Amino acid sequence: MLPKANRLTRRRDVQRVYSKGRGSAGEFIAIRALANRAQTFRLTVIISKKVAKRAVDRNRLKRLVRQAVQELTKDANSGQKLKGQDIILTVYKDPKTPYTLTRVQDEVIKCFGHWHSV
């Protein structure tokens, strides 16, 4: 679980990232980010009911995405790139295969790579 300081919770902050942020997409995850004034990153994960009907599946996928980001930020280089960013990760398509941490990690890394190159 991400610390409270790393959670993007306010609706107006999420709307600001959607309206002004830049983004990129991978196979089933899209990223949208915008610089903030904080020294840490703030993150939220969004999954609609169209992607996963059952709340159990949505919550499991959210936990996997958060864990993948948390492990990615343990790396010093990746953690520095995320500093001072408000980030929204949206799972927009069902991966069609069982949700595994390694698959989600690969997708998150790919999304962050595309986003940094934009």
Side-chain angles (χ1 to χ4, degrees):
M1 180 174 237
L2 289 171
K4 193 170 187 173
N6 294 114
R7 296 183 205 155
L8 186 63
T9 56
R10 290 192 174 149
R11 183 181 175 98
R12 72 171 183 235
D13 291 337
V14 171
Q15 288 175 340
R16 185 174 54 86
V17 173
Y18 268 122
S19 65
K20 297 180 183 177
R22 60 186 183 134
S24 144
E27 185 180 335
F28 61 91
I29 294 178
I31 183 174
R32 198 117 180 122
L34 183 67
N36 65 20
R37 295 181 188 158
Q39 293 299 316
T40 61
F41 73 94
R42 296 186 304 171
L43 173 84
T44 191
V45 179
I46 299 173
I47 304 173
S48 74
K49 286 183 183 177
K50 290 180 182 178
V51 173
K53 299 286 185 209
R54 298 180 339 157
V56 173
D57 295 333
R58 288 193 306 273
N59 290 335
R60 174 167 166 66
L61 194 50
K62 280 184 184 184
R63 282 194 307 272
L64 285 172
V65 170
R66 284 189 205 113
Q67 184 177 357
V69 170
Q70 195 168 20
E71 290 184 11
L72 180 67
T73 58
K74 287 179 184 176
D75 176 31
N77 191 22
S78 298
Q80 290 297 326
K81 289 179 182 177
L82 297 181
K83 224 175 201 182
Q85 299 287 327
D86 286 342
I87 302 167
I88 298 174
L89 289 172
T90 306
V91 179
Y92 64 90
K93 189 167 92 174
D94 188 12
K96 299 292 183 203
T97 58
Y99 310 131
T100 61
L101 182 59
T102 54
R103 178 128 192 265
V104 172
Q105 278 179 330
D106 292 342
E107 182 68 14
V108 168
I109 289 170
K110 191 184 333 176
C111 282
F112 279 124
H114 289 303
W115 169 67
H116 281 295
S117 64
V118 171

